[in-house]
Amino acid sequence: MLDKFFSISERGSSYKKEIIGGATTFLTMAYIIFVNPNILGDAGMDKNALITVTILASVIGTVLAGVWARVPYAMAPGMGLNAFFTYSLVLGAGVDWQTALGVVFISGVIFLALTVTGIRTKIIHTIPLALRLATGAGIGLFIAFIGFKGMGLIVANPATFVGLGKFTPTLLIGIAGLVITSILEVKKVRGGIFYGIIITTIIAIVVGEVKAPEAFVSMPPSISPLVFKLNIMSALSFGLVGAIFSFMFVDLFDSVGTIVACSYEAGFVDKDGKVEHVDRILEADAVATVAGSLLGTSTTTTYIESAAGIANGAKTGFASVITAALFLLALFFAPLIGIVPGYATAPALIIVGVYMFKNIRQIDFADFSESIPAFLTIALMPLTYSISIGLSFGFISYVVLKTVAGKYKEVSWLMWVIAALSVVNLWMGV
């Protein structure tokens, strides 16, 4: 029955592949359980409650992706969006966190309306093939950069912006994990990325860099300090229109970029370049955002770490159900999950970056009206540490260069609208 519902056999998958894929996705994004409470906690929100809220929002979004959209994608409070919530809106603009949650709620409702009317789907299908491929490659490079940074191989340098990190024990463990994971992938070991994370963590424990938790099981903290505390009426003030737009813009193109990239990796793109199941994916994304704001967290979005599970064989929504189940278990086993260090999951992000970068060969680099926008998209995502900024430059340059080249007929009216919104996005410094 599950096989038929999720089309496991039909998509050439198996329960084992889906379980490994779902577990891999969970391990590569489990950091959000600890990172999100730290970021939103700076906004004055209860950190203990945020642990439970973060997990519940992730479960709701991921189950929707798995059961409603039936795709192997996971959702959780978005990185970047949570930083914008705290540091730009609450601390920067002086908005209280209750009103900020109201802003997230309103942006989610508008998103849902745009999704139901099919506008978001049209936006995705309007994006030219070159930019879609560049989006996947750019995000791949971006998350690989995050992986190198998390490992400690790349560090800040006042003279050159970035530089080589010191060869500390944790960096050496991370490099060992990268080598092990790479060998497993070269040998085509199914679940290689997942096993790489486990082996790297074990190495860290053996050499004494990771300590065993004081307790393995704990009851989840209450969500009462946050649930239904949002202030929608306050968020409807004219002065917050820009904030609502900013959340919408960043979430729209971050989620679109992630969905397009993961869809290519999972084989959910037909011969005409259209993404399958996109309507339901976007609906799940919008509903998850609304639900998350009610629980008490910033915008919930599709996670690029889903590509890690896809790379390990996940092809159906059953993998997402596994990921959601592991998140649910995390409510009681947070101390145990916490022993997996960031430098143990960093190699997984780097290898996934390789997987996502491979489709770049399909871009026509001989046509500069195609290749320049694609290059800007790819390069600026990691260099600006923002998916939406890379996309904005890609959209704007595509419209401009196609027009200058006399190929304006290749640019749809919707691309002009997207380019105009991209200008607004850059002007507002989102």
Side-chain angles (χ1 to χ4, degrees):
M1 183 176 178
L2 286 176
D3 185 290
K4 184 177 180 180
F5 181 81
F6 289 107
S7 303
I8 296 175
S9 298
E10 182 181 332
R11 294 184 184 176
S13 188
S14 66
Y15 286 112
K16 181 180 179 180
K17 291 178 182 178
E18 296 301 306
I19 291 171
I20 290 177
T24 301
T25 296
F26 170 75
L27 281 177
T28 56
M29 63 182 290
Y31 65 86
I32 195 63
I33 298 173
F34 308 98
V35 176
N36 196 53
N38 286 333
I39 293 177
L40 296 187
D42 288 343
M45 302 171 75
D46 187 286
K47 288 188 178 182
N48 290 325
L50 279 166
I51 293 174
T52 303
V53 166
T54 299
I55 292 173
L56 291 178
S58 302
V59 170
I60 292 171
T62 304
V63 167
L64 284 171
V67 177
W68 176 246
R70 301 183 191 180
V71 292
Y73 304 160
M75 297 185 185
M79 290 296 295
L81 289 159
N82 51 13
F84 179 77
F85 179 101
T86 296
Y87 304 114
S88 295
L89 192 54
V90 177
L91 299 181
V95 177
D96 60 79
W97 61 264
Q98 293 91 340
T99 300
L101 286 176
V103 170
V104 174
F105 175 84
I106 294 170
S107 68
V109 170
I110 296 174
F111 253 156
L112 187 57
L114 292 176
T115 301
V116 172
T117 56
I119 294 177
R120 286 181 78 182
T121 302
K122 290 180 180 179
I123 290 174
I124 291 181
H125 291 159
T126 297
I127 300 174
L129 178 60
L131 290 183
R132 294 190 209 176
L133 296 172
T135 296
I139 293 177
L141 193 60
F142 180 50
I143 64 172
F145 181 79
I146 293 174
F148 286 125
K149 181 174 175 287
M151 185 189 298
L153 186 63
I154 293 176
V155 297
N157 185 301
T160 60
F161 288 108
V162 295
L164 182 66
K166 294 182 179 179
F167 286 90
T168 61
T170 56
L171 174 54
L172 292 175
I173 294 172
I175 292 175
L178 179 58
V179 172
I180 292 169
T181 307
S182 299
I183 291 173
L184 292 174
E185 289 300 305
V186 169
K187 293 291 185 179
K188 300 185 183 301
V189 175
R190 183 65 65 181
I193 295 177
F194 172 78
Y195 297 130
I197 294 172
I198 300 300
I199 294 171
T200 306
T201 302
I202 292 174
I203 293 173
I205 293 174
V206 171
V207 301
E209 288 297 327
V210 171
K211 296 180 180 180
E214 296 180 0
F216 291 95
V217 181
S218 63
M219 291 300 294
S222 171
I223 63 174
S224 58
L226 300 178
V227 66
F228 300 131
K229 299 296 184 181
L230 69 170
N231 190 335
I232 300 174
M233 294 306 297
S234 180
L236 288 172
S237 65
F238 180 77
L240 291 175
V241 171
I244 294 173
F245 172 80
S246 296
F247 270 113
M248 288 180 56
F249 190 92
V250 176
D251 187 27
L252 172 62
F253 290 112
D254 276 8
S255 61
V256 165
T258 298
I259 291 168
V260 170
C262 288
S263 295
Y264 270 101
E265 188 62 43
F268 294 155
V269 181
D270 63 22
K271 60 182 181 180
D272 296 321
K274 292 187 176 181
V275 178
E276 300 173 6
H277 321 290
V278 68
D279 290 329
R280 292 197 171 193
I281 299 171
L282 293 173
E283 288 167 2
D285 188 291
V287 172
T289 291
V290 173
S293 67
L294 293 173
L295 286 170
T297 186
S298 54
T299 305
T300 302
T301 189
T302 308
Y303 256 57
I304 191 59
E305 282 83 356
S306 304
I310 294 170
N312 270 273
K315 293 184 178 180
T316 76
F318 187 68
S320 293
V321 173
I322 296 300
T323 303
L326 291 173
F327 265 112
L328 201 58
L329 284 175
L331 282 171
F332 306 97
F333 293 93
L336 183 61
I337 294 168
I339 71 169
V340 178
Y343 54 83
T345 58
L349 297 179
I350 296 167
I351 297 301
V352 170
V354 175
Y355 273 100
M356 299 186 68
F357 203 79
K358 63 185 180 183
N359 288 324
I360 193 176
R361 64 183 182 276
Q362 299 180 43
I363 298 175
D364 182 9
F365 281 97
D367 184 348
F368 284 102
S369 66
E370 298 271 337
S371 59
I372 291 177
F375 178 80
L376 290 175
T377 301
I378 294 170
L380 289 175
M381 282 187 187
L383 292 179
T384 62
Y385 217 73
S386 170
I387 294 173
S388 66
I389 289 178
L391 284 169
S392 293
F393 275 97
F395 293 145
I396 295 169
S397 59
Y398 184 88
V399 169
V400 171
L401 293 178
K402 283 293 184 182
T403 302
V404 172
K407 301 178 180 179
Y408 55 88
K409 291 184 178 180
E410 297 180 18
V411 183
S412 68
W413 67 268
L414 192 52
M415 271 301 295
W416 281 100
V417 173
I418 294 173
L421 291 174
S422 296
V423 172
V424 174
N425 178 58
L426 296 176
W427 181 265
M428 296 178 66
V430 177

